[in-house]
Every structure is written in C-alpha cells, then in structure tokens.
C-alpha cells in the first residue's frame, strides 16, 4: 500500500468515564446559568459534585514491592530492593493532588497488593533484632516479626509515606489491599505502624482516610483485588483470615509461592 493508504485513519476515542459529561436537566442548567468563573471556584465544584452524587475517582497502583531499602555501612540499596523511584512517585502523587484540586473531586488511591514485599525484608530495623531464630521466620512470621518488618520498610522509605500523607492531607483516601507478598497487612499491629507513618505527614487528617481491606475494594461498578487467588501457587486457603496457630502463637499461613521466593529467588 502507498504511504497514504498505510497511514492509520483517525478514530474518535470513546469516553469511558461519563462522570464529567453533563447529564440531565440539573447539569445542563448548572452549565447554562452559572458563569464559568463561578463554576471554577472550589466551593461551587464541591457542591455540584455532591448534588450529582458522584463516586470518588479511582486510581489503582499495584506491585511496587517496597522492601528493606539501603543497608550496610555504604548505605547501598539491598539486592532484594525493587523500589528505587521515590522522586518519580512523589511527582506522580503531587500531580494527582493538583488534578483533584482542579476538578473538586475526591479520590480513592488504592494500593492493590504487593505494595510492600515482606518476603524480601531480611534486615531488622536499626538497633533491633528478630525475636526468634526459627528457620521459618520469613515464610510463617508471627505478628511481632511482621511489625518489625513494617518498621524496617517505614524507616527505609520515608519519602514514600510522605507522598501518601500528602494525598491524605488533601482529603483523599488511601486504601491498601493485601497481595501474596504482603499478607502481613492483615495483622493489626502492622496496620497501626503503616497508618501512623502516613498520618505523621498529614496533621489534622482522620485515621479513617487510611483503609486496610482484607480482600476487595469496590467503588460503584469497579471491583479491585490483587488477583493472587486465581493462581494456584500463590492462592491463600483463606483470603480474609490467612493465619494458623502454632504452639498457641498466631502465624501467617503463607502460600506455596512464598517458600519459592524465600528459598530460591532471594538467594
């Protein structure tokens, strides 16, 4: 074919999100009778969105695999650390906050699993040590071990939690879902460590703006989950209560894939 024939024809893109499209008599009257300058004021935008009963905007991020950060006297990134883009993440969250400011809409920022990688945290927090020498400390951790790992992640990645705090301070919600690498999010102690790490950067914000859902997050017709339950090697026997009792101690019951990560991938 000639160059003209080979050139793709322009296709009018379909609008998938109808929330911004004027619909109904109320929206048309609002656009017709309220001056543009007044429509752009924050108070009027919020009032208009409330009257229309719009759901919050949904932003989903998954599989950041944030781990133990920099280790050793040289303060070099651990070989197990996958997340090394703090500045880029901060620019991204700052853009989202500004965008929501312009539209006057709330946002659910969903971290949809494997946000943190507890399996790749092999170094305890500074000045602390693991409370046990069990061989299965990383594949069947107790809450005490999981809390120490959460503290290690927080101290190694302060910029990440500051970025999340910025969104919470602006009035948005941060929702964390567990994946197969961060089932430890089900421990209440871990939730408190992470919630405090975000709220420390959001003075005056409510703790209800940080949510930990055990399986799903639903907004309107959208349902978000990590999806590891569809993979036999990473599926948990129970999504909402992945724990077992060993000698009266509550421990995480890991998926088969966790043992592969610990025994093969990490080494």
């Amino acid at each position: 074919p000639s160059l003209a024939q080979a050139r793709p024809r322009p296709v009018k893109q379909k609008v998938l999100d109808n929330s911004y499209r004027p619909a109904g008599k109320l929206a048309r009257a609002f656009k017709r009778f309220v001056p543009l300058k007044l429509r752009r004021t924050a108070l009027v935008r919020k009032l208009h969105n409330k009257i229309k009963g719009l759901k919050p905007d949904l932003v989903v991020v998954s599989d950041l695999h944030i781990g133990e950060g920099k280790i050793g006297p040289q303060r070099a990134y651990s070989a197990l650390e996958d997340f090394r883009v703090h500045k880029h993440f901060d620019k991204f969250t700052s853009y989202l906050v500004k965008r929501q400011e312009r539209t006057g809409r709330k946002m659910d920022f969903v971290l949809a699993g494997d946000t943190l990688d507890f399996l790749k945290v092999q170094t305890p927090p500074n000045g602390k040590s693991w409370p046990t020498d069990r061989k299965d400390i990383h594949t069947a951790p107790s809450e005490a071990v999981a809390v120490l790992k959460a503290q290690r992640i927080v101290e190694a990645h302060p910029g990440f939690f500051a970025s999340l705090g910025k969104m919470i301070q602006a009035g948005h919600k941060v929702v964390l879902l567990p994946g197969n690498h961060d089932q430890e999010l089900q421990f209440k102690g871990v939730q408190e460590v992470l919630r405090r790490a975000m709220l420390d950067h959001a003075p005056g914000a409510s703790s209800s703006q940080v949510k930990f859902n055990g399986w799903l997050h639903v907004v309107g017709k959208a349902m978000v989950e990590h999806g590891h339950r569809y993979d036999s090697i990473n599926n948990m026997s129970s999504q909402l209560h992945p724990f077992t009792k060993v000698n009266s101690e509550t421990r995480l019951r890991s998926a088969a894939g966790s043992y592969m990560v610990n025994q093969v991938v990490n080494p």
Side-chain angles (χ1 to χ4, degrees), residues 133-240:
D133 58 356
R134 294 195 329 259
K135 290 183 179 179
D136 62 347
I137 184 174
H138 300 297
T139 49
S142 63
E143 184 165 10
V145 171
V147 166
L148 286 176
K149 289 193 173 192
Q151 291 172 347
R152 173 67 196 184
I153 292 170
V154 168
E155 74 177 18
H157 301 275
F160 173 76
F161 293 96
S163 298
L164 297 179
K166 187 189 308 178
M167 288 193 288
I168 296 168
Q169 183 67 16
H172 308 297
K173 283 184 180 179
V174 172
V175 183
L176 287 96
L177 306 178
N180 49 299
H181 283 242
D182 54 7
Q183 283 289 150
E184 287 85 346
L185 292 177
Q186 306 271 38
F187 283 119
K188 295 296 183 183
V190 170
Q191 293 178 10
E192 286 308 308
V193 169
L194 301 179
R195 180 179 282 111
R196 178 48 47 200
M198 291 179 241
L199 292 177
D200 281 347
H201 299 280
S206 169
S207 61
S208 62
Q209 290 175 247
V210 182
K211 292 185 64 179
F212 292 87
N213 290 354
W215 187 347
L216 310 168
H217 183 67
V218 178
V219 175
K221 295 181 179 179
M223 184 186 79
V224 183
E225 64 176 314
H226 184 63
H228 54 286
R229 71 187 179 101
Y230 303 107
D231 179 12
S232 58
I233 197 172
N234 289 315
N235 184 32
M236 316 294 292
S237 56
S238 172
Q239 304 297 323
L240 296 176

Side-chain angles (χ1 to χ4, degrees), residues 31-49:
K31 189 173 182 182
R32 182 176 177 184
F33 296 111
V34 180
L36 182 60
K37 285 186 179 180
L38 187 58
R39 293 206 307 267
R40 285 179 174 172
T41 62
L43 180 62
V44 174
R45 284 200 310 265
K46 289 179 182 177
L47 181 62
H48 181 232
N49 289 338

